[in-house]
Amino acid sequence: MPPAPFGNPPDPWRPAGEGSADGKGGAASFRFPSALATDGVSVFVCDTGNNTIRGIRIDTTEVVTLAGAPGQAGFRDGTGPEALFYEPNGIVLVGRALYITDTGNNVVRRLSLEDGAVTVTAGSPLEGGYRDGLGRAARFNGPTGLSTDGERLYVADTENHVIRQIEISTGRVTTLAGNPGERGGRNGKGRAASFNSPRGLYFNEGELFVADRWNHVIRVVIPATGEVRVFAGEVGRPGSDEGAGAEARFYQPFAVAGIGDTIFVADTYNHKIRSVIRN
């Protein structure tokens, strides 16, 4: 099975408020939400454990289910509750559409905010694998992290250990960096580089930051050239040390985001949010 955010934790971890209720503020409930996007008016949520996409009005805290059937995993295109997802893990906003990595279905989906219609952008539903190609001819294996530069989607194809890109206008999928099926931590260009279960992505000013989970580092990919290097941490050396560049240590980082020259890291198994300053 493709990777859920954490899998099911032991019972003592589980909070009493787990559920799928729509409503305002504390009246709403979620189950293992894993990814967020915003347009400044609403926050959009991959409610992974409920297999749904939710929306939260920032000013009122009202939560509504935009697409998917709570608690029902599966694959089906459709509008609103007619659509089905299987453990969605990544989400970005482009114009008036949300793009979603539907991890368990091995596809990237599009949710229109105009009419609620959910369609496949790339990948073949339920058919995992690796293949570049156009739209449904492409194959992914447990895609998770997602980011965009407005023209392309960048996808952490986690179980293939590569970073893919999708041309939004055409749906064409190509491999940006990493060697399909090979776990590793090499720097280099394009397929000469290697990753180990990459997850969170963040694109900014021509650079794509990658939470390279099992390498315990943050990597940078230059989409224009395919060049990959380590931004912070040391490959294969987990820990929690503070420091600059290779002096820092992370332990299974899951997500990255940023504001200006500051990159924020969800250092998941250290139970910390870290920050790294770009030079």
Side-chain angles (χ1 to χ4, degrees), residues 180-207:
E182 180 190 357
R183 296 175 183 264
R186 289 192 310 274
N187 291 329
K189 188 174 182 179
R191 296 198 182 203
S194 56
F195 298 87
N196 195 347
S197 297
R199 290 196 68 112
L201 302 179
Y202 168 66
F203 178 85
N204 186 53
E205 296 183 354
E207 296 181 318

Side-chain angles (χ1 to χ4, degrees), residues 66-67 78-82 96-97 110-119:
L66 300 175
T79 299
E82 298 173 357
R96 292 296 295 162
R110 181 184 188 273
L111 167 57
S112 169
L113 293 176
E114 300 296 339
D115 60 10
V118 178
T119 55

Side-chain angles (χ1 to χ4, degrees), residues 44 56 112 119 142 156 158 161 216 274:
F44 305 102
I56 309 170
S112 169
T119 55
T158 302
H161 311 289
H216 310 290
R274 315 281 292 277

Side-chain angles (χ1 to χ4, degrees), residues 2-7 34 48 87-90 103 142-147 154-159 162-163 195-202 209-214 252-256 268:
F6 297 93
S34 67
T48 303
E87 295 185 350
N89 268 266
T103 304
T144 56
L146 194 61
S147 191
Y154 299 105
V155 183
D157 192 3
T158 302
E159 295 303 293
V162 294
I163 307 300
F195 298 87
N196 195 347
S197 297
R199 290 196 68 112
L201 302 179
Y202 168 66
F209 296 85
V210 182
D212 194 2
R213 178 184 177 183
W214 283 107
Q252 294 188 45
F254 268 48
V256 283
T268 302

Side-chain angles (χ1 to χ4, degrees), residues 104-131:
N105 283 318
N106 298 305
V107 293
V108 177
R109 315 276 291 275
R110 181 184 188 273
L111 167 57
S112 169
L113 293 176
E114 300 296 339
D115 60 10
V118 178
T119 55
V120 172
T121 296
S124 180
L126 303 175
E127 188 176 347
Y130 171 82
R131 184 192 302 157

Side-chain angles (χ1 to χ4, degrees), residues 72-94:
Q72 186 176 349
F75 174 83
R76 187 168 64 217
D77 281 344
T79 299
E82 298 173 357
L84 295 179
F85 296 86
Y86 183 13
E87 295 185 350
N89 268 266
I91 188 168
V92 295
L93 179 69
V94 181

Side-chain angles (χ1 to χ4, degrees), residues 26-40:
S29 56
F30 300 84
R31 187 169 191 265
F32 304 130
S34 67
L36 304 172
T38 186
D39 61 2

